[in-house]
Amino acid sequence: MNILYIGYWSVYEGLSEASIRPALAVLNQFEAVQNIVYVSIERNVAKAECNWKLDKVIHKPFYSPYKSFFRDKIRDFNVLPKQLILLCREWHFDKIICRGAPAGALGYLIWQKTKIPFIVESFEPHSSYMAASGVWKRWDIRYLIQKYYEYKQIRTAETLITVSNSYKDYLVNTYGNSNIVVIPCVVDGESFQFSNRARNELRRKMKISHEAVVGIYVGKFGGLYYDDVAFNLFKNFIEQQNVYLIILTPQEKTELYALLSKHHIDLKMVFITNVPHYTVKDYLSVADFGFCLHRRTRWSMAFSPIKNGEYWANGLPIIMSTQIGDDSTIIEEVKGGGKVVDFEEYISDEDFLEIKQIIKDYNIDRINNVSNQLAKKYRSIENLTRVYKQVINKL
């Protein structure tokens, strides 16, 4: 069996490392799979190389340099499908797997011409996310194009894999689909396991006391994520006694320092950097809890933040907003894994006292606490393997 796997991001993107690499590693283990041709879309590099060392995976970067939205979309949905169809004729693919709804649009366009069955994993209402968060308007051509292709995927994909049960239920109730399975975004639990050595070494280098309560945020600000609301939350946190904040983000430091200053947050209490994905685990080990800053909207029930799985795998409790995928419900129902609060309201001292007690309880055993157990139950790679076996067996 030959599989075409389409990602919509550069191979160098953190999302590719965190989500596409584990998926390819699972497929690489199946005896029935002979070759996996992985297509990445490269915008800003002249030459892209995949060094994931998976023997059945052949990386085919497609170059689509960023110029303007209209040129990009014409190229993405006109030129790229033609190139991918030629690739299909060369490799005689049995199945196409697309990561996310933007990649799923390419899968649909290929299916139109070839009728090769396609699967969309991490299928989400991308257009609705962008509109609800204020990034796109509902009359915006970007919204209309993406919305159209999402509908086509719902109607024609062999299988849709959503990342939350809440969104699956919505699709079933709205469209009557029976071709939907759920798999939250998985993480390699061993790779993100807590390291006491990393905790001690980095705390010493960063001059953070052993007793300090350290919060960490991994990700971006704005769009799908809170920005001003996030920094109000950080301000509430920094005002507590003996605390420190770590932010791991690809965004420009100057932009974030301006937001910290705007919210009167002491810069000496904050460390901002961007690190390779494989070193994130060390900074998680330094921390005592993680912030999840996905913006709550009508459509946020469809989220499954990868960072939540990474936090949990490291034994970290999470502070997160209500209605974020299935995770908010999991935390509230099992009374563990963190604390759910309304980010758009003031977080009280009592809330932080409760968070500190959770931290104290969880730090007793960071390798086998409630968060770690949640990672094993909901975010393990074994879950992805199980779903992929179902997908492969449909042939």
Side-chain angles (χ1 to χ4, degrees):
M1 177 192 307
N2 290 336
I3 294 175
L4 171 61
Y5 192 105
I6 305 173
Y8 203 69
W9 317 299
S10 167
V11 67
Y12 301 122
E13 284 270 349
L15 278 172
S16 297
E17 179 74 28
S19 63
I20 291 177
R21 182 176 184 173
L24 294 179
V26 169
L27 291 169
N28 193 68
Q29 295 173 356
F30 290 171
E31 288 186 12
V33 174
Q34 294 175 301
N35 298 290
I36 308 155
V37 177
Y38 161 45
V39 170
S40 64
I41 311 299
E42 304 297 336
R43 308 285 187 188
N44 301 311
V45 296
K47 185 178 181 181
E49 295 181 358
C50 180
N51 61 355
W52 293 342
K53 297 179 181 178
L54 300 169
D55 61 294
K56 296 180 183 178
V57 175
I58 299 97
H59 179 217
K60 296 281 187 181
F62 278 54
Y63 296 95
S64 182
Y66 177 79
K67 291 184 179 179
S68 70
F69 168 76
F70 292 104
R71 288 185 183 183
D72 290 347
K73 292 307 170 189
I74 290 170
R75 191 166 51 239
D76 287 356
F77 298 134
N78 185 20
V79 177
L80 285 183
K82 292 176 181 176
Q83 294 175 328
L84 289 167
I85 288 167
L86 291 175
L87 197 64
C88 290
R89 290 171 181 165
E90 176 186 352
W91 284 88
H92 304 287
F93 295 116
D94 300 287
K95 202 175 291 284
I96 301 169
I97 301 177
C98 312
R99 182 76 191 192
L106 296 174
Y108 163 72
L109 290 168
I110 298 167
W111 172 85
Q112 272 191 311
K113 299 296 183 181
T114 67
K115 294 302 183 265
I116 300 171
F118 74 104
I119 296 101
V120 186
E121 62 168 304
S122 292
F123 180 75
E124 74 285 329
H126 185 75
S127 57
S128 298
Y129 284 165
M130 300 300 275
S133 61
V135 179
W136 294 349
K137 302 296 184 183
R138 293 190 181 276
W139 44 259
D140 190 320
I141 189 64
R142 294 173 292 182
Y143 172 82
L144 296 172
I145 289 172
Q146 184 61 40
K147 192 74 172 177
Y148 170 79
Y149 282 124
E150 285 167 17
Y151 177 76
K152 290 297 184 180
Q153 292 168 63
I154 291 168
R155 291 305 189 196
T156 60
E158 181 185 65
T159 306
L160 296 176
I161 304 175
T162 67
V163 295
S164 79
N165 287 285
S166 300
Y167 188 49
K168 175 188 175 180
D169 293 344
Y170 167 82
L171 291 173
V172 170
N173 293 333
T174 305
Y175 299 101
N177 282 46
S178 60
N179 62 332
I180 306 172
V181 293
V182 179
I183 175 66
C185 293
V186 303
V187 300
D188 183 342
E190 290 187 10
S191 294
F192 279 89
Q193 193 173 73
F194 172 75
S195 167
N196 197 54
R197 176 198 56 77
R199 180 181 180 87
N200 292 333
E201 286 184 4
L202 278 175
R203 282 207 173 206
R204 185 171 62 253
K205 288 180 181 178
M206 299 169 73
K207 298 181 180 179
I208 302 173
S209 72
H210 178 72
E211 296 78 19
V213 174
V214 178
I216 190 168
Y217 174 64
V218 182
K220 299 178 181 179
F221 299 91
L224 302 181
Y225 312 96
Y226 285 116
D227 39 30
D228 274 329
V229 169
F231 283 84
N232 274 329
L233 179 64
F234 292 159
K235 179 176 173 59
N236 289 170
F237 170 61
I238 290 295
E239 287 175 346
Q240 306 300 305
Q241 292 268 330
N242 197 17
V243 298
Y244 197 84
L245 174 65
I246 296 173
I247 300 174
L248 304 184
T249 180
Q251 287 180 245
E252 289 292 330
K253 283 186 179 182
T254 52
E255 175 187 350
L256 300 185
Y257 284 136
L259 281 167
L260 290 168
S261 297
K262 174 184 174 182
H263 291 270
H264 307 290
I265 297 172
D266 187 350
L267 302 185
K268 296 192 297 294
M269 307 305 295
V270 184
F271 177 78
I272 302 174
T273 190
N274 185 23
V275 299
H277 187 256
Y278 67 88
T279 66
V280 169
K281 60 184 179 182
D282 294 333
Y283 289 88
L284 297 185
S285 295
V286 172
D288 297 294
F289 70 93
F291 288 102
C292 173
L293 298 177
H294 278 66
R295 192 184 297 270
R296 185 192 66 197
T297 70
R298 176 191 171 189
W299 299 99
S300 59
M301 48 76 169
F303 286 136
S304 175
I306 292 175
K307 63 176 64 65
N308 283 2
E310 294 171 348
Y311 291 156
W312 277 341
N314 195 264
L316 290 174
I318 306 168
I319 298 180
M320 65 188 307
S321 187
T322 55
Q323 301 171 24
I324 304 301
D326 295 333
D327 292 353
S328 299
T329 303
I330 289 168
I331 288 175
E332 290 178 316
E333 288 184 351
V334 304
K335 303 299 181 186
K339 182 172 174 59
V340 175
V341 294
D342 188 340
F343 282 0
E344 296 178 25
E345 294 184 0
Y346 180 77
I347 311 301
S348 68
D349 289 346
E350 289 74 18
D351 289 323
F352 279 113
L353 283 173
E354 183 178 341
I355 291 163
K356 286 181 178 179
Q357 185 58 51
I358 293 171
I359 291 167
K360 183 178 178 181
D361 294 341
Y362 282 26
N363 272 343
I364 294 171
D365 182 5
R366 283 278 288 270
I367 296 177
N368 196 34
N369 61 23
V370 175
S371 288
N372 197 267
Q373 293 303 311
L374 290 176
K376 291 175 181 176
K377 181 175 181 179
Y378 294 104
R379 301 303 193 95
S380 73
I381 289 176
E382 285 74 19
N383 293 338
L384 180 61
T385 302
R386 171 180 49 78
V387 170
Y388 269 169
K389 283 181 178 177
Q390 296 175 23
V391 169
I392 296 302
N393 287 338
K394 279 193 176 182
L395 275 178

